[in-house]
Amino acid sequence: MQKLFTYGITLAEAEFLEVGMRVSVPFGKSKIYTGIVYRIHSNAPTAYEAKDIQQILDDKPVVNGIQLKLWNWISGYYMCTMGDVMRAALPSAFILESETVITKIDGIIDESLLKDDEFLIYEALHHQSSLKIHDVSNILDKKNVLPIIKSLIEKEAISVEEEVYEKYKPKLVRYVKLDTNFSSEKALHGLLDELSRAPKQRDVVLTLFSISAKTKKPVKVSDVLQESGVSNSIIKALVNKGVLQEYHIQTDRVQYSGEETVSSNNLNQYQETALEEIKNTFEKQRVTLLHGVTSSGKTEVYVKLIEDILLEGKQVLYLLPEIALTAQLITRLQNYFGEQVAIFHSKYSLHERVEVWNNVLNNSAKAQIVIGARSSIFLPFSNLGLIIVDEEHEQSFKQFDPAPRYHARDTAVVLSHLQQAKTLLGSATPSLESYFNARQNKYGFVELMHRYNNVMMPDVELVDIKDKLKKKRMKGHFSDRLIEEMTETLNEGHQIILFQNRRGFSPIVECVTCGHAPQCPNCDVSLTYHQYRNQLRCHYCGYNTAMHKTCEACGSPEINSKGFGTEQIEEEVKLLFPDYKVARMDLDTTRGKYGYEKIITALEQQEIDILVGTQMLTKGLDFRNVKLVGIMNADNMLNFPDFRAHERSFQLMLQVSGRAGRTEERGKVLIQTYNPHHNILQQVSANNYIDMYNEQMDDRYNFKYPPVYKQVKITLKHKDYNRVETASIWYAKSLRQVFGDFVLGPEAPPIARIRNQFHKNILVKIPKKQSLAKTKEAIIKINNSFQSIKDFRSVKVILNVDNF
Ligand code: ADP
Ligand code: ZN
Ligand code: ZN
């Protein structure tokens, strides 16, 4: 599905132009687009007359040949156009076109650096907050204005508008120092005497004193807590007394502070063996899967591999799920590699992203190691030696919307082929497809089954809530066992994480009299109750309304909440443990500026005793003092209607459990469930990946699911139900003529209407021996016939390859 267009150039332009440069081209009647030169040739197109390009925008390529090959592969494999790939790949500042809106950048620039035309535009932006490209054309009375805009962007005078992003955020760290009143030796002795009847407080002062003696740097609260072994409340008490002063410093994680780097840790014997094995597999294989249990020190192994690659003078790409790109990991790598680390993140400003792009393009010393989320596979690497895909099982490596609907892990494997580089996939709970590939010897395979320092795997206990309910041993959603364990953990001064798979207070409200549940007017879903704002909200389209006082259908005032979410758990914890600090981490609490960071930092610094959260909690975080993890209800994960629900539940529960007890003391995990004999729960308790794998693979064989079969999902959307119904029947019938029983549907998804569009899904299953390429060709052919039918033209079709 390439959809490339040919444009005319002059001989002189042909001399100058190179593949990978940008050109501005006319499109349709009056539009201007930015295009990338894919090929320079002398074959005139037959179906249309080639228009001339308007202007060359670059004097050297911004995209290299390997990238274009990758784009080509993505467009073919994921059945989208090269334009779709280009839009995902290039920072939006690179794509200038008639619809582009430009704005002035806040701040002052040296106006003398601007050429006349540039100054005119810059000045115009003082009177108008934004301009479109055609406004710029009118102001300058010129057609070719993209070079001027490009230059203004480079001079940091203007910016192209994009969705509002949050600038990458500094991390606030808590520090303490002794109040200046006690700086004299005499005052200090007086203080220590005074504190002799408060030994813990005295310990804190002495600890602070000894840490300050060793280092001249500010002293972190977390260091004092760790060395003195007291709880945060003791420090608070000293601050209240005026003995200690508390302050915060922003540690900016983007700009490396320039401190000396430290050398990497020596590996223990298991890590050493794993490292050797990985290197051995790389002799024969391009891709290796590292299955390493949580806290086995996979990162330390990666670090050694990275060191080797850097010595060879090659670049490294370290891919992580967006949410796992935490300060913890970034700081760790910056400590080892200093300025060579660049971070590429969707939360970066446009300008920062362009900067990283250019540093990679120029193979600058500042971008030898790129840490980034899925879109960093699009960076212009020229000399890549290694790709690490950490937490490779994470679903967020797949882009669902818009096209290209690519999977960054799988694309990374292709990229490493193109770059002659190696790929290491790492996880404590590998995806079935990667494990399957390793079993088939398609990938190398290495295990690391010992936790670092012999920290024991947490003790997992299943709590039968059905039984507890019968015996009246539940308080709200808390079993007596969970309350006991929580009490004990808190008494010992440790922290707790409670995991609940749903956000909101109680997902659904229901009338006790007639059973009516308020629905979203735009989507086929029940609204969710959010206590915090006393609102009913739709999680699909954002629709919201005030919570009803009486039932809309029958007027009854008795409205019940069914199910439960993080917010309700938080409320219940506050009632059960009023003396402890409770916080919540979910999409709602982390949406705001610094939200996610604030909560993580607060937990690290032991300002939170109990954290209630959703899957966000599972991502590679390392909290020293968390000893208990409670999974409030395993069943709503296990019962999710998806062929991967069991695999995902296993991964999620094991990853959450991995947050408990990462130091000497053994952690504890309590899983509450109605069905304690469920195989997945047994496998989680026993930390038995292999059993889970074998059993799930049997299902995948029997029911013809990936990784045994490949699949392409086709979604049709239209606001008119009848039209999408007829269209999908036609589509499925045509597919059946080619693929027979391997076509499922059309079927309405569980939520059949979203944002007023009705959806229908068709699934094509592709057996291993059937050619994937031929299958896609056939689908495209059917798709083309479909588009040519007048009635169907307004139906939107989405092709999703590997839609899981
Ligand atoms: P994983 O990624 O496998 O969950 P990490 O790499 O985060 O594990 O390691 C867990 C903890 O153990 C980290 O705090 C890390 O600093 C420590 N650790 C692991 N290996 C070593 C080592 N060889 N030397 C010192 N500390 C290590
Ligand atoms: Zn809705
Ligand atoms: Zn009612």
Side-chain angles (χ1 to χ4, degrees):
M1 304 240 323
Q2 282 193 338
K3 276 206 187 156
L4 298 172
F5 295 93
T6 299
Y7 282 89
I9 47 174
T10 64
L11 218 53
E13 283 168 337
E15 296 255 301
F16 181 79
L17 209 56
E18 287 176 55
V19 168
M21 285 184 181
R22 287 174 299 163
V23 289
S24 57
V25 295
F27 198 84
K29 277 211 182 72
S30 58
K31 290 201 165 81
I32 307 164
Y33 279 165
T34 297
I36 294 274
V37 179
Y38 183 70
R39 202 150 61 85
I40 302 167
H41 59 88
S42 49
N43 312 319
T46 48
Y48 56 94
E49 196 173 335
K51 291 182 183 168
D52 289 339
I53 65 160
Q54 218 179 42
Q55 189 128 22
I56 299 172
L57 294 176
D58 294 309
D59 45 27
K60 56 183 205 301
V62 292
V63 174
N64 66 38
I66 296 177
Q67 285 177 287
L68 289 176
K69 280 190 190 151
L70 187 70
W71 293 12
N72 197 21
W73 177 82
I74 293 174
S75 126
Y77 187 87
Y78 292 105
M79 304 176 83
C80 59
T81 66
M82 286 280 262
D84 291 332
V85 188
M86 179 181 94
R87 258 154 229 285
L90 290 183
S92 47
F94 284 6
I95 308 174
L96 305 171
E97 52 202 25
S98 27
E99 289 89 16
T100 304
V101 173
I102 59 168
T103 53
K104 192 170 85 69
I105 286 184
D106 288 336
I108 297 160
I109 65 154
D110 183 357
E111 289 175 4
S112 68
L113 293 176
L114 301 180
K115 296 194 188 126
D116 289 352
D117 279 351
E118 294 169 7
F119 183 74
L120 271 177
I121 301 306
Y122 185 67
E123 203 193 36
L125 281 171
H126 282 78
H127 306 296
Q128 256 170 299
S129 60
S130 67
L131 292 172
K132 284 209 171 161
I133 302 290
H134 74 90
D135 300 325
V136 175
S137 270
N138 288 341
I139 294 171
L140 300 179
D141 195 20
K142 261 191 191 164
K143 252 171 104 184
N144 300 340
V145 295
L146 294 193
I148 298 164
I149 295 189
K150 182 182 163 239
S151 167
L152 280 165
I153 291 175
E154 281 163 8
K155 290 175 182 166
E156 290 177 38
I158 65 164
S159 156
V160 303
E161 204 165 83
E162 56 173 347
E163 76 290 9
V164 186
Y165 57 84
E166 281 168 17
K167 236 176 124 59
Y168 210 54
K169 48 214 174 205
K171 177 184 167 191
L172 282 178
V173 175
R174 226 172 113 215
Y175 293 85
V176 271
K177 60 185 178 199
L178 210 55
D179 192 274
T180 42
N181 285 335
F182 304 101
S183 46
S184 77
E185 199 153 324
K186 194 164 152 236
L188 185 65
H189 278 294
L191 174 66
L192 288 174
D193 284 346
E194 199 186 308
L195 291 179
S196 59
R197 272 185 292 156
K200 283 191 173 171
Q201 297 188 2
R202 196 164 177 270
D203 275 356
V204 168
V205 174
L206 286 172
T207 308
L208 180 61
F209 207 70
S210 79
I211 299 178
S212 318
K214 272 182 269 171
T215 157
K216 290 216 168 62
K217 286 192 230 165
V219 180
K220 288 185 201 154
V221 172
S222 52
D223 289 344
V224 178
L225 289 174
Q226 201 177 356
E227 291 223 0
S228 62
V230 302
S231 77
N232 191 39
S233 56
I234 310 283
I235 299 207
K236 280 266 155 73
L238 285 166
V239 172
N240 290 340
K241 271 190 187 173
V243 175
L244 297 186
Q245 267 183 22
E246 197 182 32
Y247 59 108
H248 291 82
I249 299 180
Q250 282 193 358
T251 44
D252 190 346
R253 30 195 250 202
V254 181
Q255 237 100 54
Y256 173 65
S257 59
E259 279 174 61
E260 283 293 291
T261 55
V262 299
S263 52
S264 61
N265 288 316
N266 290 325
L267 298 184
N268 67 20
Q269 77 195 84
Y270 307 108
Q271 294 167 336
E272 197 67 61
T273 309
L275 177 67
E276 283 314 308
E277 287 175 2
I278 292 168
K279 287 185 185 164
N280 284 339
T281 59
F282 278 162
E283 303 271 306
K284 297 173 294 247
Q285 247 143 339
R286 197 166 290 292
V287 186
T288 289
L289 171 65
L290 171 63
H291 180 200
V293 293
T294 50
S295 215
S296 56
K298 292 185 287 298
T299 320
E300 303 294 329
V301 177
Y302 303 154
V303 165
K304 297 289 180 196
L305 284 168
I306 295 173
E307 285 174 349
D308 282 357
I309 299 293
L310 293 181
L311 279 180
E312 289 174 33
K314 291 186 173 163
Q315 299 161 308
V316 176
L317 171 60
Y318 193 131
L319 276 177
L320 270 167
E322 180 91 21
I323 200 96
L325 265 170
T326 55
Q328 285 186 339
L329 180 93
I330 292 170
T331 314
R332 216 161 135 188
L333 292 175
Q334 280 178 335
N335 282 339
Y336 295 144
F337 299 109
E339 273 188 332
Q340 301 177 85
V341 178
I343 299 136
F344 196 70
H345 198 287
S346 70
K347 281 192 176 154
Y348 268 26
S349 74
L350 200 116
H351 181 67
E352 285 167 306
R353 273 179 279 161
V354 170
E355 204 170 280
V356 175
W357 180 283
N358 287 332
N359 281 339
V360 175
L361 184 69
N362 302 326
N363 197 4
S364 141
K366 278 190 188 156
Q368 291 304 302
I369 307 165
V370 177
I371 315 178
R374 64 170 182 251
S375 63
S376 45
I377 51 155
F378 291 118
L379 287 167
F381 299 101
S382 51
N383 187 21
L384 197 59
L386 174 69
I387 307 176
I388 291 165
V389 186
D390 198 8
E391 315 283 354
E392 68 84 29
H393 63 279
E394 269 296 323
Q395 194 180 12
S396 60
F397 283 125
K398 164 85 179 176
Q399 171 154 317
F400 284 92
D401 243 334
R405 299 182 167 79
Y406 67 103
H407 197 298
R409 176 197 58 218
D410 301 340
T411 308
V413 169
V414 174
L415 178 61
S416 69
H417 273 278
L418 295 173
Q419 291 271 1
Q420 301 293 313
K422 304 293 181 193
T423 302
L424 183 65
L425 311 177
S427 174
T429 51
S431 62
L432 288 199
E433 56 268 31
S434 294
Y435 206 81
F436 179 72
N437 280 330
R439 282 272 175 110
Q440 306 264 313
N441 285 327
K442 213 175 136 190
Y443 297 167
F445 181 63
V446 175
E447 283 182 314
L448 183 51
M449 289 312 183
H450 289 86
R451 288 189 133 192
Y452 182 71
N453 261 346
N454 295 321
V455 174
M456 277 194 283
M457 279 296 185
D459 168 34
V460 179
E461 178 181 328
L462 301 172
V463 180
D464 183 345
I465 355 186
K466 205 168 10 167
D467 181 58
K468 294 287 181 194
L469 276 169
K470 219 164 43 200
K471 296 184 177 149
K472 304 228 176 327
R473 288 193 185 152
M474 294 289 289
K475 275 192 190 155
H477 293 96
F478 290 76
S479 61
D480 54 352
R481 278 297 296 132
L482 185 52
I483 296 174
E484 270 164 38
E485 286 292 335
M486 287 178 72
T487 311
E488 193 180 326
T489 307
L490 293 170
N491 284 341
E492 287 167 357
H494 295 313
Q495 292 165 293
I496 300 171
I497 287 178
L498 297 177
F499 175 77
Q500 171 56 24
N501 205 22
R502 289 181 181 174
R503 69 191 163 106
F505 185 74
S506 58
I508 296 159
V509 290
E510 211 177 60
C511 169
V512 175
T513 313
C514 76
H516 173 79
Q519 301 288 309
C520 173
N522 313 316
C523 313
D524 266 357
V525 284
S526 303
L527 296 170
T528 302
Y529 178 47
H530 285 237
Q531 189 195 41
Y532 164 66
R533 294 197 197 91
N534 197 33
Q535 266 182 350
L536 293 171
R537 299 186 69 90
C538 171
H539 283 186
Y540 287 85
C541 74
Y543 170 85
N544 60 75
T545 174
M547 171 69 182
H548 306 316
K549 293 211 170 62
T550 53
C551 170
E552 292 171 300
C554 75
S556 157
E558 262 191 281
I559 298 178
N560 199 356
S561 48
K562 222 177 126 181
F564 61 106
T566 42
E567 203 173 329
Q568 186 166 8
I569 300 294
E570 185 190 11
E571 289 300 310
E572 290 183 23
V573 177
K574 280 182 183 160
L575 291 176
L576 287 169
F577 298 97
D579 300 333
Y580 291 92
K581 188 130 182 351
V582 186
R584 177 162 59 94
M585 178 149 91
D586 56 23
L587 267 183
D588 298 320
T589 57
T590 54
R591 191 174 286 133
K593 229 177 181 183
Y594 308 151
Y596 185 67
E597 271 309 289
K598 257 192 204 153
I599 298 174
I600 291 183
T601 310
L603 191 69
E604 266 176 342
Q605 309 220 346
Q606 304 184 26
E607 286 165 21
I608 297 174
D609 301 303
I610 305 163
L611 181 63
V612 182
T614 57
Q615 18 270 68
M616 286 190 162
L617 282 174
T618 62
K619 311 291 153 37
L621 297 168
D622 192 1
F623 302 118
R624 312 262 93 194
N625 196 40
V626 172
K627 285 289 142 62
L628 175 66
V629 168
I631 295 175
M632 300 307 296
N633 178 331
D635 306 280
N636 57 23
M637 284 183 261
L638 289 166
N639 298 335
F640 195 75
D642 180 279
F643 76 93
R644 300 189 76 149
H646 288 178
E647 178 192 351
R648 288 254 153 77
S649 305
F650 179 89
Q651 288 163 340
L652 217 58
M653 283 188 262
L654 219 64
Q655 295 280 352
V656 188
S657 308
R659 307 302 127 222
R662 287 171 74 97
T663 46
E664 314 78 50
E665 277 169 83
R666 189 170 189 195
K668 175 96 188 166
V669 178
L670 274 187
I671 303 179
Q672 302 194 130
T673 172
Y674 283 94
N675 192 0
H677 300 293
H678 197 293
N679 281 352
I680 287 287
L681 295 177
Q682 295 297 327
Q683 289 151 2
V684 169
S685 315
N687 186 24
N688 194 336
Y689 180 87
I690 295 291
D691 272 10
M692 184 282 291
Y693 173 81
N694 288 330
E695 191 175 301
Q696 292 304 311
M697 282 304 287
D698 281 347
D699 280 355
R700 304 290 171 89
Y701 273 107
N702 291 337
F703 300 108
K704 301 187 169 50
Y705 277 118
V708 184
Y709 281 64
K710 292 228 155 223
Q711 57 188 40
V712 177
K713 182 169 132 190
I714 300 159
T715 303
L716 281 70
K717 291 189 199 174
H718 201 273
K719 62 178 190 304
D720 175 1
Y721 179 80
N722 288 327
R723 183 161 315 199
V724 77
E725 167 92 355
T726 329
S728 59
I729 290 171
W730 184 96
Y731 210 118
K733 203 172 130 205
S734 311
L735 287 168
R736 268 200 190 91
Q737 279 167 4
V738 184
F739 303 113
D741 286 347
F742 290 118
V743 179
L744 304 185
E747 214 172 330
I751 294 144
R753 188 174 53 122
I754 298 177
R755 295 172 195 273
N756 279 320
Q757 299 268 321
F758 289 95
H759 289 215
K760 286 279 183 181
N761 289 331
I762 305 169
L763 200 62
V764 181
K765 292 189 173 186
I766 307 162
K768 270 267 139 73
K769 55 181 191 302
Q770 182 176 319
S771 152
L772 195 58
K774 290 242 167 67
T775 307
K776 286 176 191 164
E777 262 171 43
I779 294 176
I780 286 172
K781 224 168 166 182
I782 291 168
N783 197 52
N784 289 342
S785 321
F786 178 85
Q787 309 278 0
S788 68
I789 298 171
K790 202 168 120 251
D791 270 0
F792 297 161
R793 213 164 284 157
S794 59
V795 175
K796 190 159 193 300
V797 181
I798 290 167
L799 302 174
N800 192 341
V801 180
D802 300 342
N803 65 302
F804 44 86

